[in-house]
Amino acid sequence: MENRGIVVIGAGPAGLAAAVKLRRLGAEDVLVIERENETGGILRQCIHDGFGLERFGKSISGPEYAALLKSEAEELGIECLTGTSVLEISKDRTITAASPSGVVEIHAEAIIAAAGCRERSRGSIMIPGERPAGVYTAGTAQAYMNLYNRMPGRNAVILGSGDIGLIMARRLTLEGAKVSAVFELQDHPNGLERNIVQCLDDYSIPLYLSHTVTEIHGKDRIEGVTVSAVDGNLRPIEGTEKYYSCDTLILSVGLIPDNTILEKAGVEIDPSTNGAVVDEHLMTSIPGIFSAGNMLHVHDLADFASAEAEAAAENAFLYASGKLDTGRNLSVVPGEGVSHTVPGRITGHGPFTASLRVRKKERGKTVEVRQGGKILGYRFFPLVIPSQMISVDAEAAAGCENVEVIVR
Ligand SMILES: Cc1cc2nc3c(=O)[nH]c(=O)nc-3n(C[C@H](O)[C@H](O)[C@H](O)COP(=O)(O)OP(=O)(O)OC[C@H]3O[C@@H](n4cnc5c(N)ncnc54)[C@H](O)[C@@H]3O)c2cc1C
């Protein structure tokens, strides 16, 4: 068993930003553990630009963003165990990992879990029909094209208007494939407006809202899909079925934090995000274990994931120095119109920021953080949509009443 200082799990933008921050704060012993042979996380396969406007003040590609973070980490002499997969964490912060030299056990003073998220697959949305080849999640198709130089197909249909699907519609088109259409179950797009314009409109790829794939056809390789319009309850409307011929179906139907390791450790998980329930310091229900980035909740931008991880790093540093303020336990509850909030608990006595997603698209709404009759913070939004994360700064909560976040 090796005893280490602060261990960061995952070397994506969140993990690397946390490690860099820790070193800059003066933490002497920082270790990053990464499953892949290279650092950078999902950014390595995102060769489009649009990353880094907040952190680096310029629009760069994913690999460039990863390279900048990697060189910051190298300059600071941060140790990174690549090719090493964390298998288990125990309540006392002992990490068991499979490394190229065998199984290793490391005891950490504090842990920052930043192991990212996974994509929803065909199984999770239960599309009926055959089980042919040619059905990919958008991230898998992206990895084929951008990391391994392989075309997933020539004639694609995309289900889901999340950013990855939109980006893949453009990528496939640029590589000579035909993209017949993007179909979205909801009555609004799930991706950023700039991606709708730059990835679909600019290439005349139609987007059909309130539509879904209701059947997959083909025995060995996919040959086509049936698409139907859906009603207000998202149920397919009989008689609206239309057949689209294709050799590829790309699914861009959402990301879910991957928390198997934390769940096994006994960390409390929020069923609405699949991420850990954390306090305002981003500390989970197990003292000394923090979570950040897409492993905590899915972020819209890499910059937001890395900024959150830096906050986790500051708090992990305080925890390891015995200075973290965690004297109480109030719940932060998602109220009317809110699907989830981070943090889910308040343990300290200072101001905090609530990050949340709303349940539905609405115009001219105020998001309020309140405790009993008192408003701790509020922000007005001309438009709120579930696909965009919102944050509201709040002053310190007083007393022992729970805090609620609502859309009004
Ligand atoms: C296709 C796509 C397009 C995107 N486009 C944009 C964009 O244009 N602009 C933008 O700002 N953002 C974009 N994003 C979002 C951005 O990439 C993510 O927000 C960001 O990568 C999240 O960072 P992370 O560090 O939390 O997770 P990740 O980047 O996923 O990193 C997690 C790391 O943890 C490692 N890991 C996982 N499990 C273990 C384990 N058990 N042991 C050790 N290591 C482990 C993984 O290998 C990975 O390296 C895009 C995302 C995708 C998928």
Side-chain angles (χ1 to χ4, degrees):
M1 168 91 76
E2 211 185 327
N3 283 309
R4 300 296 304 246
I6 304 178
V7 177
V8 179
I9 301 171
L16 288 176
V20 165
K21 183 73 179 184
L22 284 164
R23 283 297 274 199
R24 292 202 169 128
L25 287 168
E28 279 170 18
D29 185 16
V30 179
L31 172 69
V32 180
I33 303 180
E34 167 57 48
R35 178 173 64 186
E36 300 290 330
N37 292 328
E38 282 177 56
T39 59
I42 201 78
L43 294 178
R44 291 189 305 121
Q45 65 183 65
C46 301
I47 63 168
H48 55 281
D49 78 343
F51 292 83
L53 281 166
E54 308 252 337
R55 189 180 176 93
F56 298 110
K58 54 184 176 181
S59 177
I60 51 180
S61 70
E64 285 172 312
Y65 192 116
L68 285 173
L69 274 177
K70 186 181 173 189
S71 60
E72 282 179 25
E74 280 171 359
E75 273 163 29
L76 291 165
I78 293 167
E79 189 186 344
C80 189
L81 283 183
T82 51
T84 302
S85 195
V86 171
L87 306 173
E88 253 178 45
I89 305 175
S90 69
K91 275 200 167 59
D92 73 346
R93 300 187 301 275
T94 299
I95 295 165
T96 307
S99 78
S101 54
V103 172
V104 290
E105 283 206 319
I106 298 165
H107 181 265
E109 281 172 39
I111 294 172
I112 300 177
C117 62
R118 61 187 160 82
E119 294 177 283
R120 271 185 220 279
S121 61
R122 176 179 176 180
S124 58
I125 54 169
M126 294 186 291
I127 310 172
E130 304 292 330
R131 292 279 178 275
V135 182
Y136 307 90
T137 61
T140 304
Q142 188 180 48
Y144 270 118
M145 294 183 78
N146 298 346
L147 295 178
Y148 310 116
N149 206 21
R150 296 271 183 274
M151 275 302 271
R154 294 274 160 203
N155 180 12
V157 162
I158 299 184
L159 176 62
S161 61
D163 287 313
I164 319 175
L166 302 177
I167 284 158
M168 287 314 293
R170 175 177 63 185
R171 184 83 181 99
L172 283 157
T173 308
L174 288 173
E175 290 300 330
K178 177 185 162 207
V179 178
S180 307
V182 176
F183 297 100
E184 167 58 52
L185 180 71
Q186 304 290 338
D187 61 2
H188 55 270
N190 261 316
L192 300 172
E193 180 61 28
R194 72 163 194 224
N195 283 335
I196 304 280
V197 175
Q198 294 172 7
C199 301
L200 300 188
D201 298 352
D202 286 358
Y203 297 89
S204 306
I205 300 168
L207 167 64
Y208 295 94
L209 300 174
S210 301
H211 278 73
T212 192
V213 170
T214 43
E215 192 156 1
I216 292 175
H217 307 275
K219 206 158 183 287
D220 298 326
R221 175 88 195 189
I222 184 169
E223 287 164 10
V225 289
T226 301
V227 173
S228 307
V230 297
D231 62 20
N233 295 318
L234 308 181
R235 276 195 288 263
I237 304 169
E238 242 185 272
T240 61
E241 298 85 1
K242 197 170 164 195
Y243 181 83
Y244 285 81
S245 155
C246 62
D247 65 10
T248 305
L249 172 64
I250 306 267
L251 304 176
S252 179
V253 289
L255 302 168
I256 328 171
D258 194 350
N259 270 290
T260 327
I261 325 168
L262 290 186
E263 213 173 343
K264 261 169 66 185
V267 163
E268 187 188 347
I269 302 292
D270 179 345
S272 58
T273 55
N274 213 39
V277 175
V278 290
D279 65 11
E280 75 277 30
H281 313 299
L282 303 167
M283 187 160 79
T284 68
S285 57
I286 299 186
I289 302 184
F290 296 77
S291 184
N294 275 5
M295 188 175 193
L296 178 58
H297 52 158
V298 174
H299 290 264
D300 302 334
L301 297 178
D303 280 339
F304 299 161
S306 46
E308 182 179 80
E310 286 182 331
E314 281 172 22
N315 293 315
F317 183 68
L318 286 175
Y319 177 86
S321 329
K323 291 182 188 154
L324 194 68
D325 169 20
T326 55
R328 59 185 178 164
N329 194 2
L330 312 180
S331 290
V332 182
V333 191
E336 198 182 323
V338 175
S339 67
H340 80 267
T341 63
V342 169
R345 295 181 299 132
I346 301 287
T347 58
H349 298 79
F352 63 97
T353 301
S355 299
L356 60 125
R357 285 189 194 266
V358 296
R359 284 195 186 282
K360 58 177 192 230
K361 179 178 175 179
E362 288 182 291
R363 292 190 186 274
K365 289 285 164 183
T366 299
V367 177
E368 272 181 15
V369 181
R370 53 204 295 173
Q371 190 186 27
K374 189 173 177 205
I375 296 174
L376 303 178
Y378 67 93
R379 209 171 142 190
F380 175 78
F381 295 88
L383 175 70
V384 289
I385 42 174
S387 56
Q388 245 166 32
M389 197 189 288
I390 283 173
S391 65
V392 179
D393 292 332
E395 64 184 72
C400 51
E401 214 174 330
N402 287 339
V403 172
E404 192 185 25
V405 185
I406 59 160
V407 179
R408 210 168 50 79

